[in-house]
Amino acid sequence: MDPFDSNSTERANLPRNMIENSMFEEEPDVVDLAKDSTAFPTFPALDPDEVAYEPRSSRLLVRGLGENDMDEDEEDCESSARLLGMSFMNRSSAHRSSSSPYSRQAPPRSCSRPSARTMVVCVLFLVIVASMTMVLYFLPGCTFTKTGCRKATFEPVYPVSTNGELFPWALFRLPHSIRPLSYDLTLNPDLDNMIFTGCTVINMFVLHNTKRIVLHSANLNITKATFKLGDGEPSDVTVLEYKPNHQIAVKFSEDLKAGQHCVLTLDYSASLSHTYDGFYNSSYIDKDGNKRVLAATQFEPLSARKAFPCFDEPAFKATFLIRISRKPDFLTLSNMPKAKTTLLPNGLMQDEFEKTSVNMSTYLVAFIVANFSPISKNVSETLVSVYSVPEKMEHTDYALDTASKLLEFYNDFFEINYPLKKLDLVAIPDFLAGAMENWGLITFRETSLLVGKQSSPMEKQVVASVTAHELAHQWFGNLVTMSWWNDLWLNEGFATYMQYTSLQTVLPQLDIGNLFLAVRFRALDKDALNSSHAVSTEVNTPEQVEEMFDSVSYEKGASILLMLNASLPGDQQFRKGIIQYLKQFSGFNTDTDDLWNSLTQVEVSTQHQNVSEMMSSWTSQKGFPLVTVSLKGDQVTLTQEHFLLTSDNATHTSSLWNIPVTYVNDSCSLDPECRQVFTLKTKSGTFKLPGSVKWLKLNYRNTGFYIVHYGDEGWAALREALSNNVSVLTHEDRASLIHNIFALSRLGRVSFRHVLNLLNYLSNETETSPVTEALLQLNNIYRLLDKRQAHSLVARMKNYILSHFSSLINKQTWTEEDSVSKQELRSALLETACTLNEESCTQQAKALFKQYVESNGTSRIPGDLQQVVFNVAGQSTEDWLTLHNMYGHVTYDSEKRKMLRGLASTQDVRRIVWILKEGLKGDLIQTQELPLVISTVCNGFAGYLFAWDFIQENWDRLIEKFPVGSFAIQTIIKSATSQLSTQAHLHQVQGFFSSLKERGSQMRSVQEALETIRLNQRWMDKNLPTLQKWL
Ligand SMILES: [Zn+2]
């Protein structure tokens, strides 16, 4: 039996140490049963604390949740009965929603483990029968008074705390009977010994009567705890800890009463983290060769709890007052401006920051202790500063200028001013993510923030787009925050969408449109897999939280917003809607429905469809539609189905989308005015054109999130039109045809011969986006053949690619080029040509490298060509050593990263093994670069099996550095497995990941890897003969 064969994100095992408590843990099997069966009349009544806050879209019946906040009444018997009723109500609403056309669930789950499931059903049934018996036994005796009722309350089975006492809480999510109002944090980091002590004072408000306070804490050693109720005296309390859930708790013998205020004060000590999250230490070597240490934070999603005890869920917003001590030659930064500095008796300085003027989620808190230097500028009411290590200050001008322009743009666009008095952008020498949007203190990887004056526009594009993304978060995410991680896309989809659209206005010379188009294609590729997930999806474990940071939340989120904007009448409708949303929910938390409701409210056109109705079909189900079009005279028929890549073609879903299908035709195809819209809500739809046409192109400029199949005749007509005149369609439309036909070949709907036929038009193509898309697709196939060791085909594929693009390749220059679009085209073409050993390309690259080395830093390689040149250098023994030597000395990080890729692209296996090991060690090559090293090694033939071995051997060390489910781990798995296509490799990959159990076997990226290998295998079996014949 294949445990990965089922369409599941379910966990195979009960949570760690929680076997006793499975009833109260979000066990997916239990949830499924609750959804698809009426065999279980009810669940036991829970006490109000058992009612954890849950956003509307991820309610779990097993918890007996209601939609509304609970109040004190619910502790009496009547409300227990009501709670029981609520279970019923929720169940029926779940049924209602599952019968809605947009929430039809994907394929039936395969019954791979009938016996386990049956066991779970039986155990559950017994538990429920027992609970019902207890309820029935107690209810008659209940006098419907509080006393009578309390006896009747079902007592859950609690886990055991570290001190042996029962821990008073069993769920992953916190209870919401207590709300934090403000935190007062004092931190004393010791960078010499890599430890810190802290004191956290939390002011809280009691929402419902309760005998416990439960909050988060991870790896903190709590040394003293006091508690004060109302105006009473503080007294010492015992803190219990349950490590598997990162929770601590204080129990009380008497109820804390709703409406009361209380204060918990916790003293603690901890080590600075050695990974990239929590309060972590980092270091760099300065220009004099001295090691300089620093400490910084990265809390999103679940690591604020590693720096201070807190209610670490996004919906628990509060204010923060932060104090940090430091040595006199260091500086500290936090979300707010510094209020005062005092000299401590031990000779250290203590900086106190203003109390936050806004309520914020814990994951947005940040602080840094370092010796950085700033440059600053006033923008409206805000002081904008960029910080870096002192020797890189000369690379900060561009970021300051760009951030200032973007801040002005967003203030104006959202009609809400950025609410803080300062905004710092800080380049951290060792930082895993691209950047993090902490409120008022955005942290970046150096390559995402620093560019030299000489840098190429492509490097500036990276800095501008990351800055635009993080600044957009100051509104989307910081001001209005998703209630829970299931709706992460509300943060990330929006920031990604704004990142591209703001730059089109603010810095049009960066030509960001090509990049946005390419990321939409990649989001489609990922979302076509069965292992994909709905944009808004249930999240119940830390690993699942980590996994939400993927291209579905980011790029698909952005794509569906683009589609919505493009389908609304007038260009201001969408903007009005999001202004309304931001104003209505400013300072609060939301879920997906709140956004659609705001957008629906501002609609002026009554004929226009309801936004909620349309968009919920895109956020509540995974995947996207394939639209097939057939044209008979002036009659057009469209049909939709789920574009689902499966290796057996046997899985079908009945998912339907509400698709705003756009189209143009041969008489009018370029101007936006030519665009017509037909809304396809049902399986198929028909409409009439004003007259007959030669061809139709659907999904004008690829603003919709769907793929189109034109049928044999439709494709032939488009092909002919393009071979007569490529300019008959926009370049986005041409790129979309190329992307779609490769996708259809992977789906098995068109033969690869059709793909090659379409590509014939490319000899006349000169625009960036169609060429780069075609190159990417062909290179993918080339690498598959290469890894398959299909030698004769590899050679023919190489000739095919080079001959198709030879005239374009020959036209490329090797000198400075200003246009970003031309740089993108040139670097893609030359990287392909040099990788395929095209002689004039490698000669040019070698000559440029030689000139660069001999000039001793005075001659420059154009930024967009550095990668090509360093890759070629990486292939020769002598140049590799030169490059290696330069890598150790170069300070400019963007160039340094390209050198690293050049080093990792070597085909010398001893060097490959060396570079993988160095990446893990983290001295010469920072560990943050390991995912990049692995992906580069995997692209080459010599190293991909070594890399796979390396990952298996070092898995535990990898997940120590990069959490299970994190984007870094997703990248590593994908790099190592996406080019495999044989049964033997499939078995190996499957065997390894299933042996990991809770160390990673349940990850969605593992399922994705296995699916991809199967699909590669199927594609190869089907298309190798075609390739033999036609290449
Ligand atoms: Zn983001």
Side-chain angles (χ1 to χ4, degrees), residues 38 43 77 121 186 197 239 263 302 329 361 428 432 456 471 479 574 591 621 734 769 912 932 934 991 1022:
T38 47
F43 287 92
C77 200
V121 172
T186 308
T197 60
V239 173
V263 182
L302 307 175
D329 56 338
S361 305
I428 310 257
L432 187 60
S456 72
L471 274 180
L479 197 60
F574 181 74
D591 59 31
Q621 52 190 359
R734 274 134 52 199
S769 60
I912 287 172
L932 180 75
I934 292 177
K1022 200 166 169 183

Side-chain angles (χ1 to χ4, degrees), residues 791-802:
H791 299 303
S792 69
L793 270 179
V794 173
R796 281 150 74 183
M797 189 69 187
K798 180 174 140 178
N799 287 338
Y800 175 86
I801 296 174
L802 290 178

Side-chain angles (χ1 to χ4, degrees), residues 300 435-437 469-470 473 476 488 491-493 495-496 499 549 554:
E300 193 183 24
M436 173 62 210
E437 70 265 21
H469 180 102
E470 304 308 327
H473 270 313
F476 280 98
L488 179 67
N491 276 14
E492 298 303 346
T496 306
Q499 142 188 9
F549 292 79
Y554 284 69

Side-chain angles (χ1 to χ4, degrees), residues 32-73:
D32 282 345
L33 287 171
K35 271 185 188 152
D36 61 28
S37 164
T38 47
F40 303 98
T42 186
F43 287 92
L46 304 175
D47 115 5
D49 265 0
E50 245 63 52
V51 183
Y53 175 77
E54 190 79 18
R56 267 167 262 170
S57 41
S58 72
R59 261 167 232 130
L60 295 180
L61 305 175
V62 68
R63 292 172 175 177
L65 293 186
E67 297 205 12
N68 313 310
D69 281 357
M70 297 297 147
D71 55 37
E72 189 187 5
D73 289 346

Side-chain angles (χ1 to χ4, degrees), residues 1 124 144 250 351 562 576-577 714 1023:
M1 268 187 295
L124 246 178
F144 288 88
V250 179
D351 295 328
L562 174 73
K576 279 187 202 154
N1023 290 294

